[in-house]
Amino acid sequence: MTRLVLEGLRKTYGPTVAVDRVDLEVAEGELVALLGPSGCGKTTTLRMVAGFIAPTAGRIFIGGTDVSRAPPYARDTGMVFQGYALFPHMTVAENVGFGLEMRRVAKAEREARIAEALRLVRLDGYAERRIAQMSGGQQQRVALARALVVNPGVFLLDEPLSNLDARLRAEVRVEIRALQQRLGLTTLFVTHDQEEALTMADRMVVMNHGRVCQIGPPEELYERPADLFVAGFLGRCNVFRGTVETPGTLRAGAIALPCDGGVPGQTAAMVVRPERVGIDPEAGLLPGRIGMTTYLGGLTDWHVETDAGTVLVTRPTPPPGDRLRRLAPGDIVHLDWAGTAGRLLSPEPNGELA
Amino acid sequence: MRAVMWRGGVGAVFAAVLLPMVAVMWLSFFDQEVISFPPEGYTWRWYVNAWEKKQFARGFVNSLQLALVAAGLGVFVGTAAAYALVRAEFPGKAFLGTLLLSPLAVPGVVLGTALYVFFVEVENAIDIDIRATLPGLIAAHVLLTVPWTVRLVAASLQGIGPAAEEAAANLGARPWTVFRRITLPMMRSGVVAGALFSFIQSFENLELSLLLVGPGRSTLPVEMLNYLEFRIDPTLAAVATIQIVLIGALMLVTDRYVNLSRVVS
Ligand SMILES: Nc1ncnc2c1ncn2[C@@H]1O[C@H](COP(=O)(O)OP(=O)(O)O)[C@@H](O)[C@H]1O
Ligand SMILES: [Mg+2]
C-alpha cells in the first residue's frame, strides 16, 4: 500500500513521442485506469513504472522513493501481463510461489501464502496443475495470484481482460475490483475499454497521442468532459457547433439551442449526451423526423433528423403499447433538453474553451 | 481421395529419405567383394573386417572426441550468442548475426582450404603447430557447431518471447536468476537440439577435416575416404550402418526428452 507518483514522464523513440509529460498521482489503495485508443501510450507508461522501459525524461516515485533508474526487480511492483506471461515449465503453485522464493520467504510460510493466494482467486485444488492444463480464465487468475501473493506496493495491470470472452470479462472485472479493494492495493490499470474503466476505476486518466487529456472520477469525465476527444471517447454524444448568443443559448445556423452558460460571441462545440435529450411526439424545442430506430434490448436508440443535423436519443425501452414504442421512420417528433445538459467545449478536438 | 493422395505423398517423401539408408544397410551384409544384384549370399564378415581394421575404431574414437568437444564449445558459445542476438540491443547486431551464420553458407571444401591456408600463416607467425593437431581440428569444427546452435537456439528464443522473463524480473529475480530459472528451461529444447545437430554435423564432417587431420589422428569420415581409395568392398557400408544406427539411437533418446520435430520445423 504505497503511493505512486509520476512526474513529467516522457518517452520518445526517435521522432515518435510515445508518452509526453504525464503527471499523475495514485493514492494509497486507489485504482486508477489509464484509458485511451490503441497507440496512445498506455502500455509504455505502465512499463516505465514497472522498470522495463527507461523514461526519456521525468521521474517515478513509489512510496516516496525515486525509482526512475531502479531495475525492475528492485521496484516492488506486481504486474499482470496482457498475455499472462506464466512460466510454462512450472506448476501453478511454483508460478505463484516464484516471487516469494525471490524474496527468500521460508518454505512453510511460502506454502501457506501460495494456498491463501490460490484460495483468493478461487483456484484451490489446482496447485499441482501444469499451466498448459489450465483454461484462459484460470491462467488469468494464476497471473493475478502470482502478482498479488508478494503483496506488491503497486499493482499494475495491462489489459488483463482482453483475452477473455465477453461474459468472463464482466465477471473477472468485478473479481479484480473486489480483490483490489479488499487488499487496499494501489493500482494502475491499463485498458482501451471504456466500460471497463468506468466500472472499475476510482479515477480515470484519458490519454491521446501520448498525452493526458483529463484526469478525474468516472462521473466527472463522463458528465464534464474537458474536450471533444474525451467526450467522444467516453460514451456517445451529440455535437452541435455554433456561437453563443446569450448565456444559455447557442446559435447553430438558424436554430437556437439551450446550453450551459457561455460567453456571448464565443465559438463553441456543444455536447449533449443521448440520454439527456427529451423526445416527445407532440411538443418540444427542436422538431425532427425519425430516421432509424435501433432496439438494443434494455435500451432503444432513435436517430432523429433535425435542422441541426441527426440527433441520437436513447431511452430505456418503453413498454409495449407506449406511444414512443410506436414511433416509425418518418414520424415527426420534438426534442428538448435542459440547458445544463448542453456542455460547451472548444471546437478543437483537444482544445480548451477560450 | 485427397487424404489418399496426401498419404501417398508423405509416403513417397519418407521413401526418398529412407531408401538410400536402407540400401546401405542391406549392402553391408552382401557376401561378395564387388557389389552386384542379386547378392550371392549374406555375411557378417564386413563387420568383423571393420573391427579388425584398427583405423576405423581409431577414427571413431577421434571423431567422437572431436565432436563432443566441438559441440560442447559450440553450445556454450552459440547459446550465449543467440541470447545476445535475440534479446539484447547493441550496435552491429545484424552484422554479427550474419557473421555467425555465414560458415553454413560457405561450401565445406572452400572453408577447409581457407582454414588450411590460414593455419599455415598463423603457424609461420607464432611458430606453433595447428594443422594436424586436435585443437586445430576442434577450432575448425567450432565453425560448424556455433552456427547450428545459434540457429536453433535463436529460433526457440524468438518463439518464447520476453514476457515470461519480464514477469520473473517483476517478481524480484535478478538477470542471472531470470536466465537460469526461466530462459534456460524454456529454451531447453532449442539448446538440446542445437547440441545434437552440431554433434552430428561435426561427427560426420569430411570436407573441413580432410586437410586438417594429422597422421594417426584421422576422423572416421576421413578414414572411410582413405579406405575407399584402395578397396570398394562392403566394409564401408558396414561402418556407415553402425554410424546410422548410433546417430538414430541418439536422436530417439533425445526425442524422449525434448520434442525435436517441434524445434526443427
Ligand atoms: N519500441 C518501440 N519503438 C518505436 N515506437 C514504439 C515502441 N514502443 C511503442 N512505440 C510507439 O509508441 C506509441 C505508444 O505505444 P503503446 O504505449 O504501446 O500504446 P498503447 O498501449 O496505448 O496501445 C505507439 O505509437 C507505438 O507505435
Ligand atoms: Mg497496449
Side-chain angles (χ1 to χ4, degrees), chain A residues 55-119:
Chain A
T56 310
R59 293 194 296 173
I60 299 161
F61 298 86
I62 293 178
T65 314
D66 185 346
V67 296
S68 314
R69 301 283 154 207
Y73 59 80
R75 285 206 185 188
D76 194 23
T77 66
M79 182 153 169
V80 177
F81 291 74
Q82 190 167 1
Y84 314 143
L86 297 175
F87 310 134
H89 56 293
M90 299 184 191
T91 63
V92 167
E94 286 166 345
N95 266 272
V96 175
F98 189 83
L100 297 173
E101 213 181 313
M102 293 302 115
R103 284 163 175 74
R104 309 212 186 297
V105 174
K107 192 154 191 273
E109 187 193 340
R110 203 160 74 208
E111 278 168 4
R113 281 171 71 177
I114 293 170
E116 187 198 321
L118 288 177
R119 198 159 43 241

Side-chain angles (χ1 to χ4, degrees), chain A residues 78-296:
Chain A
M79 182 153 169
V80 177
F81 291 74
Q82 190 167 1
Y84 314 143
L86 297 175
F87 310 134
H89 56 293
M90 299 184 191
T91 63
V92 167
E94 286 166 345
N95 266 272
V96 175
F98 189 83
L100 297 173
E101 213 181 313
M102 293 302 115
R103 284 163 175 74
R104 309 212 186 297
V105 174
K107 192 154 191 273
E109 187 193 340
R110 203 160 74 208
E111 278 168 4
R113 281 171 71 177
I114 293 170
E116 187 198 321
L118 288 177
R119 198 159 43 241
L120 211 59
V121 297
R122 297 190 291 111
L123 281 180
D124 12 12
Y126 289 86
E128 296 314 316
R129 288 268 192 116
R130 292 251 140 210
I131 297 305
Q133 298 169 326
M134 308 287 276
S135 73
Q138 290 171 330
Q139 292 190 9
Q140 212 273 347
R141 285 184 281 159
V142 177
L144 275 176
R146 188 179 65 176
L148 291 175
V149 74
V150 298
N151 206 357
V154 176
F155 190 32
L156 304 172
L157 303 106
D158 189 1
E159 313 223 6
L161 308 178
S162 59
N163 291 341
L164 303 179
D165 61 55
R167 210 176 56 83
L168 205 53
R169 194 149 55 210
E171 219 173 275
V172 178
R173 193 158 79 193
V174 177
E175 277 177 27
I176 293 182
R177 176 59 163 161
L179 274 176
Q180 181 268 333
Q181 283 181 323
R182 181 134 59 97
L183 303 174
L185 290 166
T186 306
T187 305
L188 194 57
F189 185 107
V190 162
T191 177
H192 66 265
D193 180 337
Q194 47 148 322
E195 197 182 307
E196 218 165 275
L198 283 168
T199 53
M200 293 179 70
D202 293 308
R203 283 189 305 145
M204 295 166 49
V205 179
V206 175
M207 293 180 69
N208 193 22
H209 298 309
R211 297 201 183 184
V212 171
C213 302
Q214 194 176 1
I215 303 182
E219 305 84 23
E220 185 180 316
L221 264 66
Y222 184 76
E223 284 165 32
R224 291 190 297 284
D227 59 38
L228 275 180
F229 175 80
V230 175
F233 194 77
L234 274 188
R236 303 179 297 173
C237 60
N238 296 295
V239 180
F240 305 91
R241 289 164 193 278
T243 313
V244 176
E245 200 165 60
T246 60
T249 311
L250 181 86
R251 178 151 297 277
I255 312 161
L257 299 168
C259 67
D260 193 11
V263 180
Q266 202 174 35
T267 321
M270 177 176 66
V271 171
V272 186
R273 296 290 183 190
E275 71 276 9
R276 302 287 294 271
V277 181
I279 180 167
D280 191 285
E282 266 90 51
L285 180 82
L286 182 63
R289 202 177 283 280
I290 297 284
M292 193 171 58
T293 304
T294 315
Y295 174 74
L296 300 165

Side-chain angles (χ1 to χ4, degrees), chain B residues 39-52:
Chain B
E40 291 158 11
Y42 293 100
T43 176
W44 282 100
R45 71 182 154 112
W46 306 119
Y47 287 85
V48 176
N49 187 42
W51 178 252
E52 280 169 353

Side-chain angles (χ1 to χ4, degrees), chain B:
Chain B
M1 187 60 206
R2 280 186 56 171
V4 173
M5 278 168 63
W6 172 241
R7 269 188 223 152
V10 172
V13 171
F14 265 102
V17 173
L18 289 178
L19 217 54
M21 284 201 271
V22 173
V24 166
M25 290 176 165
W26 188 31
L27 288 179
S28 70
F29 294 103
F30 280 20
D31 189 9
Q32 63 211 72
E33 294 263 331
V34 178
I35 292 154
S36 66
F37 291 93
E40 291 158 11
Y42 293 100
T43 176
W44 282 100
R45 71 182 154 112
W46 306 119
Y47 287 85
V48 176
N49 187 42
W51 178 252
E52 280 169 353
K53 296 267 181 300
K54 284 301 165 211
Q55 70 257 41
F56 291 127
R58 212 170 44 223
F60 180 84
V61 171
N62 284 341
S63 278
L64 194 66
Q65 259 180 355
L66 169 63
L68 279 176
V69 177
L73 285 173
V75 164
F76 206 74
V77 177
T79 301
Y83 184 76
L85 284 175
V86 177
R87 288 288 191 266
E89 282 300 332
F90 53 90
K93 184 170 133 166
F95 175 73
L96 185 68
T98 315
L99 190 73
L100 281 174
L101 293 181
S102 59
L104 296 184
V106 181
V109 181
V110 176
L111 196 59
T113 313
L115 279 172
Y116 181 83
V117 174
F118 177 67
F119 285 174
V120 170
E121 292 294 323
V122 175
E123 280 171 359
N124 289 343
I126 61 172
D127 202 26
I128 295 176
D129 279 350
I130 301 177
R131 284 171 302 154
T133 66
L134 187 62
L137 205 52
I138 289 170
H141 277 225
V142 163
L143 290 182
L144 283 179
T145 57
V146 166
W148 271 96
T149 313
V150 167
R151 213 160 129 178
L152 288 163
V153 174
S156 116
L157 268 175
Q158 265 150 1
I160 296 165
E165 292 165 4
E166 288 177 350
N170 180 253
L171 289 165
R174 285 157 191 267
W176 172 244
T177 310
V178 173
F179 184 77
R180 200 170 46 82
R181 295 286 309 274
I182 308 299
T183 318
L184 210 51
M186 281 179 77
M187 68 179 183
R188 198 186 61 144
S189 52
V191 175
V192 172
L196 179 69
F197 282 89
S198 25
F199 176 84
I200 294 173
Q201 286 294 317
S202 167
F203 188 85
E204 64 180 29
N205 179 274
L206 172 67
E207 305 95 316
L208 270 187
S209 312
L210 204 48
L211 295 173
L212 302 174
V213 291
R217 294 205 206 89
S218 270
T219 62
L220 185 57
V222 175
E223 290 295 3
M224 288 168 76
L225 186 69
N226 287 343
Y227 186 83
L228 200 60
E229 282 181 33
F230 303 105
R231 313 182 61 111
I232 49 165
D233 62 42
T235 306
L236 282 185
V239 176
T241 300
I242 294 169
Q243 256 192 71
I244 291 170
V245 169
L246 285 179
I247 288 178
L250 187 62
M251 287 177 84
L252 279 181
V253 169
T254 313
D255 197 53
R256 282 184 67 98
Y257 294 99
V258 302
N259 190 342
L260 285 181
S261 57
R262 215 186 55 209
V263 180
V264 180
S265 60

